[in-house]
Amino acid sequence: MIKVTIWNEFRHEVAQDRWGERCREHYPNGIHIALKQNLASEDLLIRTATLADPEQGLPDELLNDTDVLMWWGHVAHKEVSDALVDKIQNRVLGGMGLIVLHSGHKSKIFQRMTGCSCALHWREAGESERVWTIDPAHPICKGVPPYFVVERTEMYGEPFGIPEDAKPIFISWYQGGDVFRSGVTLQRGLGKIFYFSPGHETFPIYHDPNVLKVLSNAIRWAAPVMPIMADPLSCPNAVESPEPLPPYVF
Amino acid sequence: MIKVTIWNEFRHEVAQDRWGERCREHYPNGIHIALKQNLASEDLLIRTATLADPEQGLPDELLNDTDVLMWWGHVAHKEVSDALVDKIQNRVLGGMGLIVLHSGHKSKIFQRMTGCSCALHWREAGESERVWTIDPAHPICKGVPPYFVVERTEMYGEPFGIPEDAKPIFISWYQGGDVFRSGVTLQRGLGKIFYFSPGHETFPIYHDPNVLKVLSNAIRWAAPVMPIMADPLSCPNAVESPEPLPPYVF
Amino acid sequence: MIKVTIWNEFRHEVAQDRWGERCREHYPNGIHIALKQNLASEDLLIRTATLADPEQGLPDELLNDTDVLMWWGHVAHKEVSDALVDKIQNRVLGGMGLIVLHSGHKSKIFQRMTGCSCALHWREAGESERVWTIDPAHPICKGVPPYFVVERTEMYGEPFGIPEDAKPIFISWYQGGDVFRSGVTLQRGLGKIFYFSPGHETFPIYHDPNVLKVLSNAIRWAAPVMPIMADPLSCPNAVESPEPLPPYVF
Amino acid sequence: MIKVTIWNEFRHEVAQDRWGERCREHYPNGIHIALKQNLASEDLLIRTATLADPEQGLPDELLNDTDVLMWWGHVAHKEVSDALVDKIQNRVLGGMGLIVLHSGHKSKIFQRMTGCSCALHWREAGESERVWTIDPAHPICKGVPPYFVVERTEMYGEPFGIPEDAKPIFISWYQGGDVFRSGVTLQRGLGKIFYFSPGHETFPIYHDPNVLKVLSNAIRWAAPVMPIMADPLSCPNAVESPEPLPPYVF
């Protein structure tokens, strides 16, 4: 049983404006609930959390019981407390999987894990996107076709400010002429990280079977393979050396 | 002319205790001054800064005039303000080189740039270290022998909590039986980063010709090759697409 | 059921000299048979092959029924036919796992897969080796301690001429003062590759429980996760484009 | 002075058919001569070689006097002798730069250096290609705009069968809906390698200023920074250990 927590800042879907209405057409209860329903499986225990919840949705007892954290954020990145980001980072370094969605490229936690700008250029024009599978042997690509099309999307374009070891799994082609490494994997400490850009609050992308197949695979791939370390930051003093040393005269 | 700034927390060398005395034997004016003198060259403009200086030593006018920042810290990592770390990170992403020395593996700026624990195990036993050059084609290795010995050192041992794309340039052998990737390179954004573990406040390692050769090469390697970007975090809205798109009906 | 084939050039163990006697003390029926016995498990179908067998031990029907190929070679690398190396390479690119042992660093197949010299420096002095686990989260390290000691070994030392994406999993410390990336992983095409240096024909290293644990883990890690591609070299002409194109006037 | 040798199989341009005529419209004396003229610069000594020349164009005295080898091949890959490929590989491992053009992805030397299939899918439809610069800090990108358009090109599409450490510098968008990592760097041994797909025998792509800027930068980037090693495959026996060892009793 993999314990998944889907975190959503949950702002767009409750906004009392035209944008909010558009979001609710596709995600009436929020993106987190839609993803929970669409990814439901017997081997997953999926819980959800939002920014407005106590302790910003991730009290220690939930975070420390999470194997894979899925993260959606957009307009409220800065409201996430640095202390919480510290805790999430430690949990990832200790082995928790992290899946960052779409506009989460600018979340504090993704920037923290990458050390990079995670910058890109973007355009909201409702154009189409063709997502190419470029590493078909990767577990995240199991059952995913050579390419699939998202009919209407927001464009995210290169250069994408990510680390050199961000391994491209998908590259997207956009109707408007741009390209993007739309799915990349990383490992930091014992934790696996997957960033996947297809997704948006006003388009029904999180109901797309190919997108869900990718996310579903990503959860299994990112799940820890050994017990999660409690203190990955520890730097122990190895007083005794494996080989004998002469006494240390200071 | 490469503009180098050597930053030193400058605490050990002014401590009124036995440790401080030991430091002053080798670095009477501080590690930053010793490095400045030992690395002096006609093509370098070397300035120094310390934590106790105004704005923690790196006011904008200095940071924004620095091509390569060399960083020594140990006991005062936490005193460096997050706001300054933000600024340094942005400058690195924009193209400034960063050279992190020894105990700087636990500095805020190195952890920020790597996203990792940068954890290791360590031992202070005055043992010897043999530094092996494992990428002799790298510019940092120019003129460096296949290996060199540091007679007395602090041991830093694996596993070292660094990103997968931290490319090993040197690997150290320790008398006490440990190994360590003692020199690694990274690129983050447009900035080049070099971490080098040989070095210590109570050993004369920053007077060792091989160590100085490595650091000297690293400065030239890390120097920016194009103008440093002022705003690497920018995510511009590319309203006009290269290819024509139909009007966007929201 | 993972289908493993252990290939051994099988020359040392049958030599009528002092060296051969030494080998037979530890591997009376050959290294391949010792490994087959020591790695036996219900989920593995292990077969063996030697250079003297018909078609150099790997007729198509065996190679094409192999999920993971383990390779030992030393003095007869050049006798392996280029045509067989071509076939093995294709099978690896299509998804077969490849585990290369010790002196196999200079095998045609390892040099073919890496494109590199795979050069190193070496010494046969019966010294001890301490193998450090530097990526404890890797599946190959499951159940392997932070380090283990091989009491008598041949030294393989850096620099090791391998690709930049050869990810270090183990780094060895030698009594004589050298270091080596003694376990590295690679992926080429759909195939996973693991090189592991601890091992020797005259030392009982392939009876060491830690070494066997590593190799046992490596088999499971390298096993293909999808059907092996028959023709990974294929470059199909995609006559029809996903997007409509104007007629091509040559 | 960088010594560049441009090797061309030189078959298309001399063919007595419609295709040959088309080639000669743009490259009347061959692609190698066009490139030599277009890349001419005071700091470059450019020589050319073709498959029909003695020793397939690369006698030892030329190969061993070459700093950067540029390679064009297409229909005659198999005619290049394995012995010559061995020599070129050794020279690259020793430090010579290698720039592989367009259909050279299937050349023996590129496959040898990568160990991979170098497979892709392709289409000859005269469509347009937009080449995006995704690593603007790389020396190869100096003076190259964020993107440039090749009006008529052959499409090369993902997945591209290259090693994981093939670092993408350019990604192309095609009118027909495909994407491709059209410029990638590698290092093997001491040698730097650059593959660049834009280029074709029947389109005037090697007269495009942006393409020439990329190739011109690549030559400077790939040039060796230290003397080229004569024998990169050497595995020396390090009889004497840095640390004292007890006598070896066999």
Side-chain angles (χ1 to χ4, degrees):
Chain A
M1 179 73 74
I2 302 173
K3 294 176 178 178
V4 181
T5 300
I6 304 175
W7 190 95
N8 182 5
E9 69 174 35
F10 199 33
R11 286 283 168 84
H12 288 306
E13 303 97 318
V14 295
Q16 296 309 313
D17 56 11
R18 176 73 185 117
W19 200 259
E21 283 173 30
R22 288 293 303 278
C23 298
R24 286 187 293 275
E25 287 174 24
H26 304 299
Y27 309 108
N29 302 306
I31 285 173
H32 53 304
I33 301 298
L35 282 171
K36 177 180 178 173
Q37 292 169 341
N38 292 340
L39 294 168
S41 168
E42 285 195 357
D43 64 326
L44 303 181
L45 169 62
I46 304 183
R47 291 174 286 198
T48 62
T50 72
L51 180 59
D53 292 342
E55 302 191 46
Q56 301 198 324
L58 289 174
D60 290 356
E61 55 272 24
L62 178 56
L63 180 60
N64 294 335
D65 195 44
T66 297
D67 295 321
V68 178
L69 179 65
M70 192 174 280
W71 191 271
W72 168 278
H74 187 204
V75 292
H77 291 324
K78 290 191 179 168
E79 297 179 38
V80 178
S81 81
D82 288 338
L84 179 57
V85 175
D86 288 346
K87 285 183 189 178
I88 299 172
Q89 178 182 22
N90 275 6
R91 181 86 181 156
V92 174
L93 294 174
M96 181 179 73
L98 176 67
I99 299 173
V100 176
L101 300 173
H102 189 62
S103 46
H105 73 99
K106 273 291 185 185
S107 63
K108 283 187 179 179
I109 185 61
F110 192 55
Q111 295 193 319
R112 180 71 69 83
M113 299 312 306
T114 61
C116 281
S117 69
C118 306
L120 46 81
H121 72 277
W122 58 280
R123 179 175 59 238
E124 213 142 20
E127 68 201 277
S128 71
E129 171 182 6
R130 177 174 292 97
V131 183
W132 288 89
T133 299
I134 72 160
D135 188 7
H138 198 283
I140 290 180
C141 302
K142 197 170 182 181
V144 179
Y147 68 78
F148 61 91
V149 174
V150 176
E151 288 300 341
R152 284 165 66 84
T153 196
E154 179 182 18
M155 187 282 292
Y156 276 8
E158 293 281 346
F160 187 18
I162 48 176
E164 292 197 0
D165 63 336
K167 182 177 161 171
I169 309 294
F170 301 101
I171 295 181
S172 285
W173 175 102
Y174 291 94
Q175 186 181 2
D178 306 76
V179 294
F180 194 61
R181 285 168 287 177
S182 46
V184 297
T185 60
L186 280 173
Q187 183 167 338
R188 287 295 177 266
L190 308 198
K192 297 198 186 77
I193 302 172
F194 180 56
Y195 171 77
F196 193 57
S197 63
H200 196 253
E201 66 272 17
T202 72
F203 298 120
I205 298 174
Y206 292 125
H207 297 291
D208 180 304
N210 286 306
V211 168
L212 294 169
K213 168 60 83 177
V214 169
L215 294 179
S216 174
N217 288 342
I219 288 170
R220 274 75 177 184
W221 168 79
V225 293
M226 55 176 68
I228 293 179
M229 287 175 68
D231 186 9
L233 299 184
S234 165
C235 284
N237 185 343
V239 176
E240 295 192 38
S241 60
E243 300 291 321
L245 286 174
Y248 178 38
V249 183
F250 179 63
Chain B
M1 179 72 74
I2 302 173
K3 295 177 177 176
V4 180
T5 301
I6 303 175
W7 190 96
N8 181 5
E9 69 175 33
F10 199 34
R11 286 284 168 84
H12 289 305
E13 303 97 318
V14 295
Q16 296 309 311
D17 55 12
R18 175 75 184 115
W19 200 260
E21 282 172 32
R22 289 291 305 276
C23 299
R24 286 189 292 277
E25 287 173 23
H26 304 299
Y27 309 108
N29 301 306
I31 285 173
H32 53 303
I33 300 300
L35 282 170
K36 177 178 178 173
Q37 292 169 341
N38 292 340
L39 295 168
S41 168
E42 286 196 356
D43 64 328
L44 302 182
L45 169 61
I46 304 182
R47 290 173 288 197
T48 62
T50 70
L51 180 60
D53 291 342
E55 303 191 44
Q56 302 198 320
L58 289 174
D60 290 357
E61 56 273 23
L62 177 57
L63 181 59
N64 295 335
D65 195 43
T66 297
D67 295 320
V68 178
L69 178 64
M70 192 172 282
W71 192 271
W72 168 278
H74 186 205
V75 292
H77 291 324
K78 291 193 179 168
E79 297 178 40
V80 178
S81 81
D82 288 338
L84 179 58
V85 175
D86 288 347
K87 285 183 188 177
I88 300 172
Q89 178 182 23
N90 275 7
R91 181 83 181 159
V92 174
L93 294 174
M96 180 179 74
L98 175 67
I99 298 174
V100 177
L101 301 172
H102 188 61
S103 46
H105 73 98
K106 274 289 185 184
S107 64
K108 282 187 178 180
I109 185 61
F110 191 54
Q111 294 193 319
R112 180 71 70 83
M113 300 311 306
T114 61
C116 281
S117 69
C118 306
L120 48 79
H121 72 277
W122 58 283
R123 178 174 58 238
E124 213 142 19
E127 68 202 279
S128 70
E129 172 181 5
R130 177 175 292 99
V131 183
W132 287 90
T133 300
I134 71 161
D135 188 7
H138 198 284
I140 291 179
C141 302
K142 197 171 182 180
V144 179
Y147 69 78
F148 62 91
V149 174
V150 176
E151 288 300 340
R152 285 164 64 83
T153 197
E154 179 182 19
M155 187 282 293
Y156 275 8
E158 294 280 345
F160 188 18
I162 47 175
E164 292 197 0
D165 63 335
K167 182 177 163 172
I169 308 295
F170 299 102
I171 295 181
S172 285
W173 176 101
Y174 291 94
Q175 187 182 0
D178 306 75
V179 294
F180 194 63
R181 286 169 286 178
S182 46
V184 297
T185 61
L186 279 173
Q187 182 167 340
R188 288 296 177 264
L190 309 198
K192 296 197 188 78
I193 302 171
F194 179 57
Y195 171 76
F196 193 57
S197 64
H200 197 255
E201 66 272 17
T202 71
F203 298 119
I205 298 174
Y206 292 124
H207 297 292
D208 180 303
N210 287 306
V211 168
L212 293 168
K213 169 61 82 175
V214 168
L215 294 179
S216 174
N217 288 342
I219 288 169
R220 276 74 178 185
W221 168 80
V225 293
M226 55 178 65
I228 293 179
M229 289 175 66
D231 186 8
L233 300 184
S234 166
C235 284
N237 184 343
V239 177
E240 294 193 39
S241 60
E243 300 291 320
L245 285 174
Y248 177 38
V249 182
F250 179 63
Chain C
M1 181 72 75
I2 302 173
K3 294 176 178 176
V4 180
T5 301
I6 303 176
W7 190 95
N8 181 5
E9 69 175 33
F10 199 33
R11 287 282 168 85
H12 289 305
E13 303 98 319
V14 295
Q16 295 311 313
D17 56 11
R18 176 74 185 117
W19 200 260
E21 282 172 31
R22 288 292 305 276
C23 298
R24 286 189 293 276
E25 286 174 23
H26 304 300
Y27 309 109
N29 302 306
I31 286 173
H32 53 304
I33 300 298
L35 282 170
K36 178 179 176 172
Q37 291 169 342
N38 291 339
L39 294 168
S41 168
E42 286 195 356
D43 64 326
L44 302 182
L45 169 62
I46 304 183
R47 290 173 288 198
T48 62
T50 72
L51 180 58
D53 291 342
E55 302 192 45
Q56 302 198 322
L58 289 174
D60 289 357
E61 56 272 22
L62 177 57
L63 180 60
N64 293 336
D65 195 44
T66 297
D67 295 320
V68 177
L69 179 64
M70 192 173 281
W71 192 271
W72 169 276
H74 186 203
V75 291
H77 291 324
K78 290 192 180 168
E79 297 179 39
V80 178
S81 80
D82 288 339
L84 179 57
V85 174
D86 288 346
K87 285 183 188 176
I88 300 172
Q89 177 182 23
N90 275 7
R91 181 86 181 156
V92 173
L93 294 174
M96 181 179 73
L98 176 67
I99 299 174
V100 177
L101 300 173
H102 188 62
S103 45
H105 73 99
K106 272 290 185 186
S107 63
K108 283 188 179 178
I109 185 59
F110 192 55
Q111 294 192 320
R112 180 71 69 83
M113 300 312 306
T114 61
C116 281
S117 69
C118 306
L120 47 79
H121 71 278
W122 58 282
R123 179 176 57 237
E124 215 142 19
E127 68 202 278
S128 71
E129 172 181 5
R130 178 174 290 99
V131 183
W132 287 88
T133 300
I134 72 161
D135 188 7
H138 198 284
I140 290 180
C141 303
K142 198 171 180 179
V144 180
Y147 69 76
F148 62 91
V149 174
V150 176
E151 288 301 339
R152 284 164 66 84
T153 197
E154 179 183 19
M155 187 281 293
Y156 276 8
E158 294 280 346
F160 188 18
I162 47 175
E164 292 197 0
D165 62 336
K167 183 177 161 171
I169 309 293
F170 300 101
I171 295 181
S172 285
W173 176 102
Y174 291 94
Q175 186 181 1
D178 306 76
V179 294
F180 194 62
R181 285 168 288 176
S182 46
V184 297
T185 61
L186 281 172
Q187 182 167 340
R188 287 295 176 267
L190 307 200
K192 297 197 188 79
I193 302 171
F194 179 56
Y195 171 77
F196 192 57
S197 64
H200 197 255
E201 66 272 17
T202 71
F203 298 120
I205 299 175
Y206 292 126
H207 297 292
D208 180 304
N210 286 306
V211 168
L212 293 168
K213 168 61 84 177
V214 168
L215 295 179
S216 174
N217 288 342
I219 288 171
R220 276 75 179 183
W221 168 79
V225 294
M226 55 178 66
I228 293 180
M229 287 176 68
D231 187 8
L233 299 184
S234 165
C235 283
N237 184 344
V239 176
E240 293 192 40
S241 60
E243 300 290 321
L245 286 174
Y248 177 38
V249 182
F250 179 63
Chain D
M1 179 72 73
I2 302 173
K3 295 176 177 176
V4 181
T5 301
I6 304 177
W7 189 95
N8 181 5
E9 68 175 34
F10 198 35
R11 286 282 168 85
H12 288 306
E13 302 98 318
V14 294
Q16 296 309 311
D17 57 11
R18 176 73 185 117
W19 200 260
E21 282 173 31
R22 289 290 307 274
C23 298
R24 287 188 291 276
E25 286 174 24
H26 305 301
Y27 309 108
N29 302 306
I31 286 173
H32 53 302
I33 300 299
L35 282 171
K36 177 178 177 173
Q37 292 169 341
N38 291 341
L39 294 168
S41 169
E42 286 196 356
D43 64 328
L44 302 182
L45 168 62
I46 305 183
R47 291 174 287 197
T48 62
T50 71
L51 180 59
D53 292 342
E55 302 191 45
Q56 301 198 322
L58 288 174
D60 290 357
E61 56 272 25
L62 178 56
L63 181 59
N64 294 335
D65 195 44
T66 297
D67 293 321
V68 178
L69 178 65
M70 192 173 281
W71 192 270
W72 168 278
H74 187 205
V75 292
H77 290 324
K78 291 190 180 170
E79 297 179 40
V80 178
S81 80
D82 288 338
L84 179 57
V85 175
D86 288 346
K87 285 183 189 177
I88 300 172
Q89 178 183 22
N90 275 7
R91 181 85 181 157
V92 174
L93 295 175
M96 180 180 73
L98 175 68
I99 298 174
V100 176
L101 301 173
H102 189 60
S103 45
H105 73 98
K106 274 289 185 187
S107 62
K108 282 187 180 180
I109 185 60
F110 193 54
Q111 294 193 321
R112 180 70 69 84
M113 300 312 306
T114 62
C116 280
S117 70
C118 306
L120 47 80
H121 71 278
W122 57 282
R123 181 174 57 237
E124 213 141 19
E127 68 202 278
S128 70
E129 171 182 6
R130 178 174 291 98
V131 182
W132 287 89
T133 299
I134 72 162
D135 188 7
H138 198 283
I140 291 180
C141 302
K142 196 171 182 181
V144 179
Y147 68 78
F148 62 91
V149 174
V150 176
E151 288 300 341
R152 285 164 65 84
T153 198
E154 180 183 18
M155 187 281 293
Y156 275 8
E158 295 280 346
F160 187 18
I162 47 175
E164 292 197 1
D165 62 335
K167 182 177 163 171
I169 308 294
F170 300 101
I171 295 180
S172 285
W173 175 102
Y174 291 94
Q175 187 181 1
D178 306 76
V179 293
F180 194 63
R181 285 168 288 177
S182 46
V184 297
T185 60
L186 279 173
Q187 183 167 340
R188 287 295 176 265
L190 307 200
K192 296 198 188 77
I193 303 171
F194 180 56
Y195 171 77
F196 192 57
S197 63
H200 197 254
E201 66 272 16
T202 71
F203 299 119
I205 298 174
Y206 293 125
H207 297 292
D208 181 303
N210 286 306
V211 168
L212 293 168
K213 169 60 83 176
V214 168
L215 294 179
S216 174
N217 288 342
I219 289 169
R220 275 75 177 183
W221 167 81
V225 294
M226 55 178 67
I228 293 179
M229 286 175 68
D231 187 8
L233 300 184
S234 165
C235 283
N237 185 344
V239 176
E240 294 193 39
S241 60
E243 299 290 321
L245 284 175
Y248 177 38
V249 182
F250 179 63

